[in-house]
Each structure stands twice: as structure tokens, then as C-alpha cells.
Amino acid sequence: MEHFNDIYQRACERHGGEAALKALIVSPLATDAELAAITDDRWLSSFTMSLFQSGFVWKIIRSKWPEFERAFFGFDPEKMLMLDERHFDRLNNDTGIVRHAKKIAAVPANARMVLELGKGHGGFGAFVAQWPKDDITGLWMMIKKHGKLLGGNIGPYGLRRLGVDTFAFTGDVSAYLRHHQVIDAGLGSKKGMQQAQAAFNQWHQQSGLSLTEISKTIAFSIG
């Protein structure tokens, strides 16, 4: 496996030097206290945004997001659990949002996930804040297991948006991990995720950079 210094230097060379690279990868992260203070509705909103952005034009979803907030009652998890067929009919005919029945139906399931995982911790944010930093893929898998349609990069992007330090299997990062044989299993498999986690943990120890910054650096090192 490449030492992170080699990856970093290659990224610097391809993107105008160290100062330029630092500007590209800078990623402010939330502290544990800040994560714990984020209310459940914001977590549900973030996961839902990532879900609707998946396979769609991100800019369009962002531009419509105030309408999503209106249509889903501010993503209050308790209210989402009360949605019935009448509400689903309304949402599936609401021209203010992207009408995708399968994704709309996933919101109550993910509201339940947020509430259940946060129970006993004082909220989902506190649950995330106490999760081991060197096992972020374990958090991904927990969210996927208890939620609905939150696999792939949907969970990681939902977490990263609110300041959680996480890498993501973007096209460039995935290509790097496979080309350099960092992984020998599918990225969606438990083994593949654990192999990637071990590599990112090692790169973190070598560089002191966050997982997010390492992920971005890898992407810039090959593009």
C-alpha cells in the first residue's frame, strides 16, 4: 500500500502545489458536542437529501429543498411516523418536490431509524458523536441496516453534510482502492469496507489529516 506522503505529493503536483491542494481539500468538521446538539429532524433531512440526490441532478434537489422541508413537515421524525396513505398520495402528487414513490416511502422508515438509534443516547446526534472514529464504515452499515435505501454513498454523504468525518467511495476513490489493490472484495461488502477502513486509518496515522481530507486527496491524486 502506498504511503500517504506519496499520494499527497502526487495530488499537489497535479493541482498546482500544496497551498492549492489544501484549499481544495479543506473540510471543517463538527466537534462531538456540535454533533450531539444537532436535532433529529436535521439528520433525517440530510439523509433524505442524499437519498433524493442519488441518481439525480444534485443542484435540482438543492434548489427544491425548501419545498421538501414544507412537504415533509420539517422532517420531524415523530410526524413522519404518522404518515398514512392520504399523506403519501399528497406527496406523490406534490409538484414542488421530486415525486419518487419508493424514496418518499423510505422517509418514515428512516425516521424510525433515527429515533431508534438515538434512543438511550439523548438523540441521534449523540449516538453518532460517541461512535468510534476509527470505524466509520461500521456506522454506515448500522445506518443501512436500520434504515431504508441508505446504502452506497447515501449514508456517508448524509453524515458528511452535517460535519461527520467520513470518507466516501466516489468514483475516483473507488478506482484508486481497486487499482492499488487496497481491497480485494466488493466495496459494498463488509470485508471490502473493513479493508478500506484499515487503509484510511493507516493513512490518518501517517498524515494527521481527517478521513474527509484523505478521501479528497486520493481523488485529486488520480485526476
Side-chain angles (χ1 to χ4, degrees):
M1 193 172 77
E2 279 192 298
H3 193 284
F4 189 75
N5 285 346
D6 296 328
I7 300 171
Y8 188 81
Q9 290 305 315
R10 187 166 61 248
C12 288
E13 291 169 4
R14 294 186 176 186
H15 291 277
E18 186 170 17
L21 179 65
K22 285 183 176 180
L24 290 170
I25 68 171
V26 62
S27 303
L29 302 173
T31 65
D32 286 348
E34 289 170 337
L35 291 174
I38 297 172
T39 55
D40 287 350
D41 60 289
R42 293 306 85 202
W43 292 104
L44 181 58
S45 175
S46 187
F47 287 131
T48 306
M49 178 181 283
S50 293
L51 173 58
F52 274 87
Q53 285 179 329
S54 180
F56 205 78
V57 180
W58 288 26
K59 183 169 66 174
I60 292 177
I61 299 299
R62 286 195 297 268
S63 69
K64 287 179 171 287
W65 204 248
E67 288 297 303
F68 274 87
E69 293 282 348
R70 170 195 57 77
F72 287 93
F73 305 106
F75 292 99
D76 181 327
E78 298 287 356
K79 290 182 179 178
M80 293 303 95
L81 294 183
M82 297 173 65
L83 295 183
D84 56 21
E85 289 304 317
R86 178 175 58 85
H87 288 110
F88 286 124
D89 286 343
R90 174 183 63 80
L91 289 166
N92 284 311
N93 288 283
D94 191 328
T95 58
I97 66 173
V98 173
R99 292 165 289 175
H100 190 298
K102 191 174 181 180
K103 292 182 178 182
I104 288 171
V107 177
N110 293 331
R112 185 173 294 106
M113 177 271 294
V114 166
L115 292 172
E116 288 180 350
L117 293 184
K119 188 177 181 180
H121 295 277
F124 188 81
F127 166 77
V128 171
Q130 60 80 43
W131 191 271
K133 303 297 186 291
D134 60 355
D135 183 32
I136 196 65
T137 58
L139 181 57
W140 298 359
M141 289 186 280
M142 181 69 72
I143 290 169
K144 178 183 178 181
K145 177 182 177 181
H146 291 271
K148 188 174 183 179
L149 304 182
L150 296 180
N153 279 324
I154 296 173
Y157 281 140
L159 293 168
R160 181 184 280 184
R161 184 178 293 109
L162 295 182
V164 177
D165 186 20
T166 180
F167 53 91
F169 292 147
T170 63
D172 287 338
V173 172
S174 298
Y176 175 91
L177 296 175
R178 292 192 181 96
H179 179 73
H180 288 268
Q181 299 180 329
V182 175
I183 61 167
D184 60 13
L187 283 173
S189 69
K190 183 177 180 180
K191 180 181 178 182
M193 288 189 187
Q194 289 176 335
Q195 290 175 329
Q197 181 74 69
F200 272 88
N201 288 346
Q202 185 170 328
W203 287 325
H204 171 67
Q205 292 174 353
Q206 292 171 352
S207 68
L209 295 178
S210 68
L211 299 177
T212 304
E213 291 168 334
I214 292 169
S215 185
K216 292 181 178 180
T217 300
I218 291 172
F220 286 124
S221 76
I222 64 174

